[in-house]
Amino acid sequence: MTESAVVGHARGLLGRVLHGHGVGVRITEVEAYGGINDPASHAYTRTARSEIMYGEPWRLYVYRSYGMHFCANVVTGPTEEASAVLIRAGEVVDGHAVARQRRPAVEDVALARGPGNLARALGLTLDDLGTDLLGPDGVRLGERSAETPEISAGPRVGVSKAADVPWRFWITGDPTVSAYRRSPRA
């Protein structure tokens, strides 16, 4: 697979704060998905679930994973490509008490570690699907960080197709980054 614009968007999300329902999370780990050009992407085959990825960029794509938890993605476009970035982990930087209510008995460093935990800490549900992340209120993305963090890259977690594509990016050495787990089907 060739590198696409989604890789630049993924790297650019690192260090930004995602605000949602009383909690702010500094993004520390992401995965890029190249839409119609990426067999690991939900948009590789166009379905009702992936339709949001073919829409306007900077919208929130929320889906339920394994029927247990929600995952949050930033649709990056271009529209005809249907690319998106999965937000895998982050550091709670605002709304600690609210995040702790949503994830009780969890150390602060792990409040938003892993995509399901991140969505839960932020209180994201399917009701947030399609939210304009560049809007001034509600679930939204903060400005880019003034500092460019040191970034590491590696294969994506838990995908069975295109498993070795190094489109998982994280802030090097950050303790909130999740552990790598290769899919047994890869």
Side-chain angles (χ1 to χ4, degrees):
M1 262 177 30
T2 60
E3 191 166 307
S4 68
V6 71
V7 169
H9 289 303
R11 294 172 70 89
L13 285 168
L14 292 170
R16 289 182 81 170
V17 176
L18 180 59
H19 302 273
H21 308 289
V23 174
V25 172
R26 181 180 64 92
I27 300 169
T28 60
E29 179 186 6
V30 296
E31 284 179 349
Y33 287 90
I36 62 171
N37 301 310
D38 183 354
S41 173
H42 289 176
Y44 188 67
T45 302
R46 196 169 187 158
T47 65
R49 178 171 95 160
S50 67
E51 193 62 33
I52 182 84
M53 294 171 73
Y54 291 86
E56 293 182 49
W58 305 109
R59 303 290 175 182
L60 186 65
Y61 166 40
V62 179
Y63 66 91
R64 189 180 294 274
S65 178
Y66 300 108
M68 297 183 297
H69 53 262
F70 297 106
C71 294
N73 297 258
V74 176
V75 174
T76 63
T79 302
E80 66 279 359
E81 192 175 296
S83 297
V85 176
L86 172 66
I87 309 300
R88 287 200 47 83
E91 173 192 13
V92 175
V93 293
D94 188 37
H96 285 86
V98 176
R100 286 184 198 112
Q101 283 180 319
R102 293 177 181 147
R103 300 217 51 237
V106 174
E107 291 182 48
D108 283 0
V109 72
L111 283 171
R113 183 188 290 152
N117 295 331
L118 180 133
R120 187 170 176 192
L122 288 166
L124 300 177
T125 68
L126 292 176
D127 291 338
D128 298 305
L129 178 67
T131 299
D132 179 359
L133 294 171
L134 300 182
D137 300 311
V139 179
R140 67 193 184 287
L141 270 172
E143 296 298 317
R144 284 184 178 241
S145 174
E147 299 176 16
T148 302
E150 182 180 341
I151 298 172
S152 294
R156 296 176 289 191
V157 175
V159 295
S160 58
K161 297 177 180 166
D164 295 319
V165 174
W167 285 5
R168 174 177 166 244
F169 304 99
W170 64 93
I171 295 176
T172 304
D174 194 289
T176 64
V177 172
S178 63
Y180 173 74
R181 291 187 186 95
R182 184 173 176 86
S183 171
R185 297 170 292 151

